[in-house]
Amino acid sequence: MDIHEYQAKDILSKFGVDIAPGALAYSPEQAAYRARELGGEKWVVKAQVHAGGRGKAGGVKVCSNDREIQEACENMFGRNLVTHQTSPQGKGIYRVYVESAMSISREIYLGFVLDRSTQRVMIVASGEGGMEIEDISLQKPDSIVRSTVEPAVGLQDFQARELAFALGIEDGMVPQMVRTLKGCYRAFRDLDATMVEVNPLVITVDNRIIALDAKMTFDDNALFRHPQISELRDKSQEDPRESRAADRGLSYVGLEGNIGCIVNGAGLAMATMDTIKLAGGEPANFLDIGGGATPERVAKAFRLVLSDENVQAILVNIFAGINRCDWVAEGVVSALKEVQVDVPVIVRLAGTNVEEGQRILAQSGLPIIRASTLMEAAERAVGAWSNDLKLGVNVRAV
Ligand code: GDP
Ligand code: MN
C-alpha cells in the first residue's frame, strides 16, 4: 500500500527526520489560508498523488503570494496529474500540501528497499539527488553508494557515518545525517515498509538536513499489525477495480486486455494469462479467487470481472485439488443465474470430481462453453471475442 507524501513526512518526522513546516489543504482558499498560517514569503504547493515525477508534470509549484497559491491550486484540484509513473489517465488531485519553501544548497537521493538477493534492507544513496534513481543509475552509476543492514542489530552508527562520508557530508552535519538515516531505517523496520524513498533529501543553505520529498510503501500482508497505517489508505489513488477486489478479499490486478480470468491459485492464474497470450489474446486481469471457491466467491468474481467494461469474454480455469469440480461448477451456474453476464463464458475444469462438474455445467441449460484443456479454453476465449456475434455465442443468463 502506498501513502501520500505528507503522510510519509509525518511518519518520518516522528522517527527523528527533519521536515519543512507544512499543512494540508482541500481547496485553493484553504491552501492560501494554510500558507498565511505557516508564515514566511515563499511556499511550495504540492499535489498529493500516489506517484513520483510530479515536479516535471506541474504538480509542484513554488509560490510567493496568495494569488499564485490559488492559481497553482486551481490548476491542480479536480484534475488528474499524469506523470511518467502514472497510467495515461493519471491520478486525481484532491489534496495539496503547502510547505514553507527551503533554500537548497544540495540535493541527495536516499532510498531504503528490500534487497531480495541478500534478504536484507538495503540503503541506496547518491549525491545526485533530484533525479530519479533510474536516471542516476544510467547517467551517474558511480555516484551510487549502498549499504546492507544486518537485521539482528539494525542500522549501526558506523554504517550511517560511512554513508555520510561517502556522500561528502560536511563533518559538522554528520550527526544530523546519522539521525536521518537511522530514523528512516527505524520507520521502515517498525512499520513493515517495503520502501522508503526521500528524493530529494536536501541540505539547506543554513546547513540543515531536510526530507523535501518522501514516499513510503507498506507490506499489505503486514497491515493488520498497523491499523494506524491502514487508515491512511486513499482509495481515490487506486485502480477502482483493484480496490473493489481488495474489499471483497479477492486478489486482483487489472490489466489492459479484454479476456477476463477467474482462476483458483496464483500460479494457475499466471499460467492462464500466459496461455491466453500464447493463443493470441490479451488478459483483462489477474484474479485468484483462492482455494475454497464457494458459489458466493465465484459470483463476486464474475461481478468484479464484468465491472471492467473492456471484458469481452470470461475464462474460468479451475484446478480442483482440495476443492471439488462439482462445487465449483455449482458456483459457476449459480453465479451465472444471479449475475447478468452478456459475454461468452468459457469454463475449463480439471481435478477432483471433474465428470460431475462437467455434468452440472452441461445440464444447467446455460450457454457455457466448455473446454477440456487450458489451451483449448484460451483458444476458445480468443475466438469467442473476435467471432462472438458470428458464432452466436452471446451468453445472457437469466
Ligand atoms: P516529485 O517530482 O514528485 O519527486 O516531487 P518533489 O517533492 O521531489 O519535488 C520536485 C522538485 O521540486 C524537487 O526536486 C525540488 O527541486 C523542487 N522543490 C520542492 N520543494 C522545494 C522547496 O521547498 N524549495 C525549492 N527551492 N525547491 C523545491
Ligand atoms: Mn521527489
Side-chain angles (χ1 to χ4, degrees):
M1 186 188 85
D2 293 329
I3 59 172
H4 287 294
E5 170 198 5
Y6 77 94
Q7 296 165 330
K9 283 180 170 171
D10 181 46
I11 291 171
L12 293 177
S13 71
K14 289 184 178 129
F15 284 88
V17 177
D18 288 337
I19 57 171
L24 191 68
Y26 292 91
S27 69
E29 298 72 31
Q30 199 185 11
Y33 177 75
R34 291 295 191 208
R36 277 196 296 278
E37 268 183 346
L38 288 169
E41 281 148 21
K42 253 191 181 170
W43 303 270
V44 185
V45 175
K46 307 181 82 176
Q48 297 299 291
V49 293
H50 287 183
R54 296 165 303 167
K56 288 191 192 102
V60 177
K61 288 269 185 265
V62 181
C63 304
S64 5
N65 57 46
D66 246 47
R67 194 181 43 78
E68 284 179 17
I69 291 174
Q70 299 230 20
E71 221 170 80
C73 287
E74 270 147 22
N75 289 323
M76 292 183 191
F77 277 112
R79 301 258 171 95
N80 278 16
L81 188 68
V82 180
T83 82
H84 69 273
Q85 289 188 8
T86 67
S87 67
Q89 289 81 46
K91 298 221 164 175
I93 306 173
Y94 304 103
R95 312 171 194 192
V96 302
Y97 192 50
V98 185
E99 237 181 19
S100 300
M102 297 285 119
S103 302
I104 302 168
S105 82
R106 255 193 88 184
E107 297 193 332
I108 291 167
Y109 174 91
L110 187 58
F112 293 69
V113 288
L114 270 177
D115 178 42
R116 284 161 195 265
S117 58
T118 55
Q119 303 179 11
R120 299 279 187 274
V121 175
M122 184 187 269
I123 305 173
V124 183
S126 162
E128 304 288 331
M131 278 201 272
E132 306 291 330
I133 188 66
E134 290 82 3
D135 297 331
I136 300 174
S137 67
L138 285 176
Q139 292 165 27
K140 305 258 176 152
D142 299 336
S143 75
I144 298 178
V145 288
R146 294 183 179 80
S147 187
T148 305
V149 183
E150 181 56 49
V153 291
L155 178 63
Q156 297 290 293
D157 284 14
F158 80 89
Q159 266 184 298
R161 279 196 297 273
E162 266 175 8
L163 278 167
F165 296 143
L167 291 168
I169 304 290
E170 270 175 45
D171 289 356
M173 278 188 281
V174 169
Q176 213 186 326
M177 189 63 184
V178 170
R179 176 159 52 84
T180 304
L181 288 165
K182 290 181 80 173
C184 291
Y185 173 74
R186 277 193 34 235
F188 185 111
R189 187 203 57 188
D190 290 4
L191 300 173
D192 290 307
T194 53
M195 198 261 304
V196 171
E197 185 181 66
V198 179
N199 185 28
L201 177 74
V202 298
I203 300 179
T204 62
V205 290
D206 54 351
N207 285 348
R208 290 185 296 148
I209 298 182
I210 288 183
L212 208 66
D213 188 11
K215 226 176 179 184
M216 285 185 87
T217 306
F218 297 91
D219 180 351
D220 291 338
N221 294 317
L223 281 176
F224 74 97
R225 303 206 285 201
H226 308 289
Q228 77 282 23
I229 301 294
S230 308
E231 276 179 9
L232 303 179
R233 183 172 165 201
D234 181 357
K235 288 188 193 170
S236 77
Q237 301 295 307
E238 296 174 359
D239 181 329
R241 298 174 299 181
E242 288 176 22
S243 32
R244 262 198 303 273
D247 289 343
R248 287 162 178 73
L250 298 166
S251 173
Y252 178 97
V253 181
L255 300 165
E256 310 302 318
N258 49 13
I259 299 179
C261 304
I262 298 177
V263 188
N264 67 329
L268 192 62
M270 304 263 238
T272 305
M273 296 183 342
D274 283 349
T275 312
I276 288 170
K277 286 210 150 208
L278 199 63
E282 286 292 333
N285 64 278
F286 164 98
L287 172 56
D288 173 11
I289 59 171
T294 59
E296 294 76 36
R297 278 183 92 75
V298 177
K300 275 184 195 167
F302 268 102
R303 266 192 230 105
L304 182 68
V305 169
L306 283 166
S307 68
D308 178 351
E309 56 193 29
N310 291 329
V311 167
Q312 295 180 26
I314 296 179
L315 198 169
V316 181
N317 183 24
I318 303 287
F319 177 79
I322 301 167
N323 217 322
R324 287 170 38 177
C325 287
D326 49 331
W327 292 346
V328 175
E330 275 167 13
V332 171
V333 170
S334 68
L336 286 179
K337 285 187 173 155
E338 191 194 319
V339 183
Q340 178 167 321
V341 180
D342 41 20
V343 298
V345 176
I346 300 94
V347 180
R348 179 256 179 174
L349 297 173
T352 312
N353 287 6
V354 64
E355 295 81 8
E356 181 61 9
Q358 296 292 12
R359 195 189 58 73
I360 292 168
L361 293 182
Q363 292 182 355
S364 69
L366 293 166
I368 295 167
I369 304 167
R370 281 176 291 140
S372 48
T373 66
L374 175 51
M375 195 65 217
E376 184 194 339
E379 279 169 354
R380 281 177 184 262
V382 174
W385 62 260
S386 54
N387 298 314
D388 175 351
L389 295 170
K390 205 164 56 200
L391 296 173
V393 284
N394 206 15
V395 176
R396 186 174 289 271
V398 282

